[in-house]
Amino acid sequence: MGRGILRIYLGAAPGVGKTYAMLAEAARRQGRGTDVVVGFVETHGRAVTAALLDGLEIIPRRTTTYRDASFTELDVAAVIERRPRVALIDELAHTNVPGSANTKRWQDIEEILDAGIDVISTVNIQHLDSLNDVVEQITGVPQRETVPDEVVRRAEQIELVDMAPEALRRRMAHGNVYAPEKIDAALGNYFRVGNLTALRELALLWLADKVDDQLDRYRADHDIRGTWEARERVVVALTGGPEGDTLIRRAARIADRTKGTDLLAVHVTRSDGLTDANPAHLTRQRALVESLGGSYHQVVGTNVPEALLDFARGVNATQLVLGASSRGRLAQLLSRGVGVTTTAQSGSIDVHLVTHEKAKQGRRWKALRESWGVPARRRNAGFLTAAIGLPLLTVLLGLLREQFSLASEILLFQVAVIGVALIGGLYPAIFAAVAGSLLLNYFFTPPLYTFMVHAPEALLQLIVYVVVGITVSVIVDLTARRSREAARAQTESQILSTLAGDILRGEHGGVAIDGRRESTALAGILERLRETYGLTAVTLLERDPDEPATPATPRDPDAWNVVATVGGEPCTTPDAGETDILVAEDALSVVLRGRTLPAADRRVLEAFAAQAAVALRHQRLAQEAEQVRPLAAADKMRTALLNAVSHDLRTPLASARAAVDSLRSPDVHWSVEDQDELTATAAESLERLDRLVSNLLDMSRLQAGALGISLRPIAAEDIVPRALGDGTGTVIRIPDGLPEILADPALLERVLANVIANAARHSPPGEPVLVTASTHADRLELRVIDRGPGIPAEDRDRVFEPFQRLGDRDNHTGVGLGLALSRGLTEAMDGTIDIEETPGGGVTMVITLPAYKAL
């Protein structure tokens, strides 16, 4: 048989009706004659759900014993042996009892699917691995049961069981989800309207991505290249020019018109590695598009319109934003350009051509001069070579007139033109070709010493000479220019890749920031900039927020603040011939001091400046996050405290009040025995309340650093019995001759009492808690050993967090501060408390404190 089909009912929260929907589907299939069995279904005591099990065959569960307790699990072998057509298996993310063949239930389901049996299962959105931390952040409740997203994504069918938050809360209030005693706590914590709304949105978005994947696979399998407007996606094309900021903001406004629209920015890089894009602009624009909730992409292609449309169709884009052409009118007449060509070939994709300040400006004279491709010194040398060399060649050929024909003389002049092209580039070569044609005409073409040409063949030779000379000059100049561009592009890419690598590896030096010496990624960028270009100092300036937005560059030192500097004193104003200014952002500038840098280095310099701005932004975000972290921790602690106080402090208070009210009731006459029992109940409850309040107050003092500590030597054999109370169920084995402990006796007694009480609570009946002591170097170790169920390795740190009650099945045994307080008190006495596994099962708490005689 082939592999079975997996169908999953996905819910945003418990109680939305996943199991009910699964059982209703089973009843429908059974009514059509399908062989359906129940492998494992958990009704959670809900009568309406349990009623749907009537008439369905239930496979008996497998019973497993673990640490003297019995558990029931899915019997995989029984389901496979029964070989139904469909098996119902609830709770996909469930963790099996240790000793089972598989750790997780989804692994059991994989076995059943491999046997050719269809499976219907359920899972909540909070159990997906990728969303586990997000759900914990939203609800404050960690989820230990998880399932890999890929397991759920592989399901052939996923159906969302949706319910509005208000409807789910009404269901809970009517007792259809939890037992009555749990309703108030659930509604006030996990099942708040805000939590349920956020979980519902997570489920909808996750399922939308799953549907998106299915749609992409369908289009790929059926070779569908046209755009299906199932979801709006806006693609903005970036050239690497300054107009990109305008295009991105325009595309973002288009995307904002429809909620849920994706924004993608793409830059097409030429396959030869040569590009006119400015790395600084692309870096800034990438940060901008990501800050607007979009994503940045880079593709390689020789034909920009084709590469752009291939990308847009590949992501199923519905709209494409392009900038209006920046070429002049003459250039647009000769070639349609990227915008017009893309629009003509876009098909069903809507194209927006956005005007900007660079549109239709054409190439200015400065850009034309830069296109000459050679420095002015070499260009001048080319003109000088032509001016001197061509007359000398004319004189030499005039002396040897009888030995050369006109064709040979033209070839020699052609060689001279090529030499001028190699030295000075295109324009000196054109000058040499035209001047050479005139010299050939005047001195060597009959009739001599005139510019007349009588023979048609000679005229043709001169014309061919000029055309070939100019053509060869263009090719030689273009080749030389491309070679130089490739070398410069390689150098720039090496510099930028080194910069990116340093940032990623965290290689950075010290930098003066706000009068302090700090080590930051920003320092690495500035130091790398200074080293690469041999500068004496590099300073990052930020405009005073109270100053006007113009001018963009720092001219007035009072309007700018020094953010960071490397290599010397901060430079805030330009010195003649020594300072250059780079605009990183509207409010940020990088000032360079040292040698004058050529204009050709401007692109990489601006890329450094843009990276410095990004690094500063990340640094400040990290600082803000660091400042917020204590507030978040305090808020988390306050929330946990309120949750704990709302139940655990109220329980003993309610018991004491009930006992006192009963004693004060005038309608009942209590016997002496009853009065004693009620009084004892009130006293016990108040004592418990006193312990809880003391723990809360001590934890608050620890966190505030206001706990008074008085260290003095004390013997282990003296302090341990005092911490036991009545000593029931505890065995003490402390050898003689141990050194005294340097500790606060009262605090150490609290620590031991909490730890021993915790061990006794988890020890099985008839297994006493063992307390031992030993020395290690200059420390003394107290060990509290129990034979309880133990603590998994991954939870050993969590048991010391406040308000954690791992293993308390009734969840009514305190606010979970005992071990957290014990660790805090121990560390306050310069000690440690750790967890080890007891050989044969159980937990050993190791309390380590300084030994007195070692001091």
Side-chain angles (χ1 to χ4, degrees):
M1 297 178 62
R3 180 179 167 86
I5 296 175
L6 175 61
R7 177 171 182 167
I8 295 177
Y9 285 95
L10 175 68
V16 295
K18 302 179 302 299
T19 304
Y20 186 92
M22 178 178 67
L23 292 173
E25 174 66 12
R28 186 181 66 82
R29 295 195 183 194
Q30 189 180 55
R32 294 186 316 185
T34 304
D35 184 14
V36 181
V37 301
V38 175
F40 190 101
V41 169
E42 184 60 67
T43 63
H44 299 286
R46 299 163 191 166
V48 178
T49 304
L52 292 179
L53 288 171
D54 294 341
L56 294 175
E57 179 184 350
I58 300 176
I59 302 294
R61 301 182 183 183
R62 173 177 53 86
T63 301
T64 301
T65 301
Y66 178 69
R67 290 183 176 175
D68 300 329
S70 296
F71 303 90
T72 59
E73 295 287 2
L74 168 67
D75 194 334
V76 178
V79 173
I80 295 177
E81 183 179 359
R82 168 63 175 74
R83 286 205 169 276
R85 186 68 192 91
V86 179
L88 308 182
I89 303 175
D90 211 357
E91 299 180 354
L92 180 67
H94 173 76
T95 300
N96 294 328
V97 174
S100 302
N102 296 312
T103 305
K104 294 286 189 176
R105 181 165 293 164
W106 64 263
Q107 296 170 327
D108 295 339
I109 291 176
E110 289 293 317
E111 286 190 27
I112 296 173
L113 291 171
D114 290 338
I117 301 171
D118 294 347
V119 174
I120 304 178
S121 187
T122 63
V123 70
N124 281 328
I125 195 68
Q126 68 263 27
H127 296 302
L128 298 181
D129 270 339
S130 65
L131 299 176
N132 187 260
D133 56 340
V134 179
V135 173
E136 181 177 357
Q137 182 181 4
I138 293 171
T139 64
V141 179
Q143 301 291 334
R144 301 185 188 91
E145 304 282 6
T146 60
V147 59
D149 288 47
E150 184 58 29
V151 173
V152 183
R153 289 189 183 278
R154 285 202 304 264
E156 285 78 5
Q157 302 173 31
I158 300 179
E159 183 173 335
L160 179 66
V161 182
D162 191 26
M163 180 176 289
E166 294 79 5
L168 179 56
R169 287 171 58 85
R170 283 197 300 271
R171 254 193 104 204
M172 294 193 62
H174 294 160
N176 296 329
V177 178
Y178 287 151
E181 63 272 12
K182 296 182 179 180
I183 294 176
D184 290 341
L187 290 175
N189 293 280
Y190 190 89
F191 288 85
R192 294 194 296 267
V193 173
N195 290 354
L196 296 177
T197 302
L199 293 174
R200 188 186 188 195
E201 184 172 11
L202 283 177
L204 291 170
L205 291 175
W206 190 92
L207 188 60
D209 288 339
K210 163 70 176 176
V211 174
D212 234 10
D213 293 341
Q214 292 177 333
L215 179 60
D216 289 342
R217 283 199 301 269
Y218 180 85
R219 294 175 71 240
D221 293 342
H222 294 78
D223 195 26
I224 299 173
R225 297 183 57 81
T227 300
W228 285 10
E229 299 185 16
R231 183 174 181 177
E232 288 286 344
R233 284 187 176 87
V234 179
V235 173
V236 53
L238 303 178
T239 64
E243 75 281 356
D245 297 39
T246 302
L247 301 182
I248 291 172
R249 291 188 175 94
R250 175 63 172 165
R253 289 196 296 271
I254 294 174
D256 287 341
R257 293 172 185 170
T258 304
K259 189 173 180 61
T261 299
D262 294 335
L263 175 63
L264 302 92
V266 59
H267 170 66
V268 179
T269 302
R270 287 170 50 180
S271 58
D272 58 9
L274 304 176
T275 177
D276 293 330
N278 190 314
H281 292 327
L282 288 177
T283 301
R284 185 182 67 253
Q285 289 159 12
R286 177 171 189 165
L288 175 60
V289 73
E290 290 175 349
S291 69
L292 294 172
S295 58
Y296 176 85
H297 307 267
Q298 192 159 323
V299 297
V300 178
T302 55
N303 187 303
V304 174
E306 289 184 2
L308 190 58
L309 289 172
D310 286 343
F311 174 82
R313 294 189 180 108
V315 299
N316 200 25
T318 56
Q319 301 187 62
L320 183 59
V321 178
L322 300 173
S325 177
S326 59
R327 301 180 306 151
R329 294 181 179 179
L330 179 60
Q332 292 185 38
L333 290 175
L334 298 175
S335 174
R336 295 196 303 175
V338 173
V340 177
T341 304
T342 304
T343 304
Q345 300 175 0
S346 62
S348 59
I349 301 177
D350 297 335
V351 178
H352 303 264
L353 285 177
V354 179
T355 59
H356 49 86
E357 59 181 9
K358 300 293 183 181
K360 297 184 180 180
Q361 289 188 357
R363 303 188 69 184
R364 299 190 176 183
W365 176 245
K366 181 180 178 180
L368 181 62
R369 285 170 48 196
E370 291 176 352
S371 71
W372 288 354
V374 295
R377 179 178 54 81
R378 286 187 54 190
R379 195 162 54 250
N380 294 335
F383 282 112
L384 182 62
T385 301
I388 296 175
L390 292 180
L392 289 178
L393 180 60
T394 302
V395 173
L396 179 61
L397 291 178
L399 295 176
L400 303 174
R401 185 187 304 274
E402 302 298 331
Q403 300 180 21
F404 293 96
S405 64
L406 178 60
S408 299
E409 292 165 345
I410 290 175
L411 289 176
L412 290 174
F413 269 86
Q414 193 74 67
V415 172
V417 171
I418 294 174
V420 172
L422 292 174
I423 295 173
L426 176 62
Y427 298 98
I430 293 176
F431 168 76
V434 174
S437 67
L438 296 176
L439 291 173
L440 284 169
N441 185 2
Y442 190 82
F443 290 101
F444 302 104
T445 305
L448 300 178
Y449 311 116
T450 67
F451 289 104
M452 302 294 295
V453 179
H454 289 172
E457 181 181 355
L459 179 60
L460 179 61
Q461 289 176 336
L462 289 175
I463 293 174
V464 170
Y465 157 76
V466 173
V467 173
V468 172
I470 294 176
T471 303
V472 171
S473 300
V474 170
I475 294 174
V476 170
D477 178 78
L478 183 61
T479 302
R481 191 189 318 161
R482 290 304 186 198
S483 177
R484 287 189 295 272
E485 288 177 356
R488 174 167 292 277
Q490 182 179 7
T491 302
E492 291 178 354
S493 64
Q494 289 176 350
I495 293 174
L496 294 175
S497 64
T498 302
L499 170 64
D502 290 349
I503 295 173
L504 290 175
R505 292 190 298 270
E507 297 179 4
H508 36 69
V511 60
I513 297 180
D514 297 334
R516 306 183 308 276
R517 194 74 179 171
E518 295 189 1
S519 179
T520 65
L522 174 61
I525 296 173
L526 299 181
E527 183 63 27
R528 177 68 65 180
L529 173 58
R530 188 185 69 83
E531 292 177 353
T532 301
Y533 292 98
L535 303 170
T536 57
V538 178
T539 302
L540 178 63
L541 302 179
E542 184 176 28
R543 186 176 53 242
D544 193 321
D546 297 330
E547 294 293 329
T550 57
T553 55
R555 300 302 181 190
D556 181 8
D558 295 333
W560 295 83
N561 300 320
V562 177
V563 177
T565 186
V566 295
E569 292 297 323
C571 41
T572 58
T573 57
D575 296 335
E578 292 187 359
T579 302
D580 194 7
I581 301 172
L582 304 172
V583 179
E585 286 185 357
D586 291 341
L588 292 174
S589 293
V590 178
V591 182
L592 314 177
R593 176 169 292 168
R595 64 188 183 90
T596 302
L597 298 174
D601 292 331
R602 196 74 182 183
R603 290 197 315 163
V604 178
L605 289 172
E606 290 180 351
F608 271 99
Q611 290 288 357
V614 172
L616 176 63
R617 188 183 305 112
H618 288 175
Q619 175 181 300
R620 288 180 172 173
L621 288 175
Q623 292 172 351
E624 292 176 2
E626 197 66 30
Q627 294 173 358
V628 171
R629 187 173 290 111
L631 298 178
D635 184 68
K636 183 178 180 181
M637 177 71 71
R638 182 167 54 252
T639 301
L641 174 61
L642 291 175
N643 292 339
V645 168
S646 65
H647 181 274
D648 295 289
L649 294 186
R650 186 170 57 188
T651 300
L653 186 61
S655 299
R657 181 176 178 177
V660 173
D661 288 345
S662 298
L663 289 171
R664 295 180 64 246
S665 175
D667 299 329
V668 181
H669 298 284
W670 303 99
S671 65
V672 175
E673 292 79 6
D674 292 337
Q675 292 179 4
D676 291 341
E677 182 176 353
L678 290 172
T679 304
T681 300
E684 181 182 350
S685 299
L686 292 174
E687 182 181 355
R688 179 181 172 189
L689 183 63
D690 179 67
R691 288 198 305 270
L692 293 175
V693 173
S694 298
N695 282 343
L696 289 171
L697 292 176
D698 286 344
M699 180 59 68
S700 299
R701 293 192 188 100
L702 272 176
Q703 293 180 338
L707 185 67
I709 299 176
S710 176
L711 301 179
R712 63 183 181 85
I714 185 172
E717 57 268 23
D718 293 336
I719 193 64
V720 173
R722 287 161 49 183
L724 294 182
D726 57 10
T728 304
T730 303
V731 177
I732 302 176
R733 294 178 185 172
I734 299 179
D736 298 331
L738 292 178
E740 292 181 315
I741 307 169
L742 186 63
D744 186 310
L747 298 185
L748 181 56
E749 182 179 342
R750 290 281 303 280
V751 171
L752 287 170
N754 284 336
V755 173
I756 293 172
N758 184 75
R761 187 164 61 250
H762 292 89
S763 295
E767 290 287 348
V769 176
L770 175 63
V771 181
T772 66
S774 62
T775 58
H776 180 73
D778 59 346
R779 315 283 282 182
L780 191 140
E781 295 181 347
L782 294 170
R783 295 176 177 268
V784 180
I785 305 168
D786 68 59
R787 294 289 180 179
I791 301 175
E794 62 271 16
D795 289 336
R796 289 179 182 174
D797 285 335
R798 292 184 56 242
V799 299
F800 292 109
E801 296 178 5
F803 312 109
Q804 296 292 329
R805 294 177 292 200
L806 300 180
D808 286 346
R809 294 183 179 275
D810 58 359
N811 217 24
H812 296 292
T813 53
V815 295
L817 282 177
L819 293 182
L821 180 61
S822 298
R823 168 170 276 189
L825 295 176
T826 304
E827 292 177 348
M829 294 184 290
D830 193 25
T832 61
I833 179 168
D834 298 298
I835 297 178
E836 296 179 356
E837 184 177 359
T838 303
V843 167
T844 299
M845 292 284 186
V846 183
I847 304 170
T848 306
L849 291 164
Y852 176 67
K853 74 174 186 178
L855 299 179

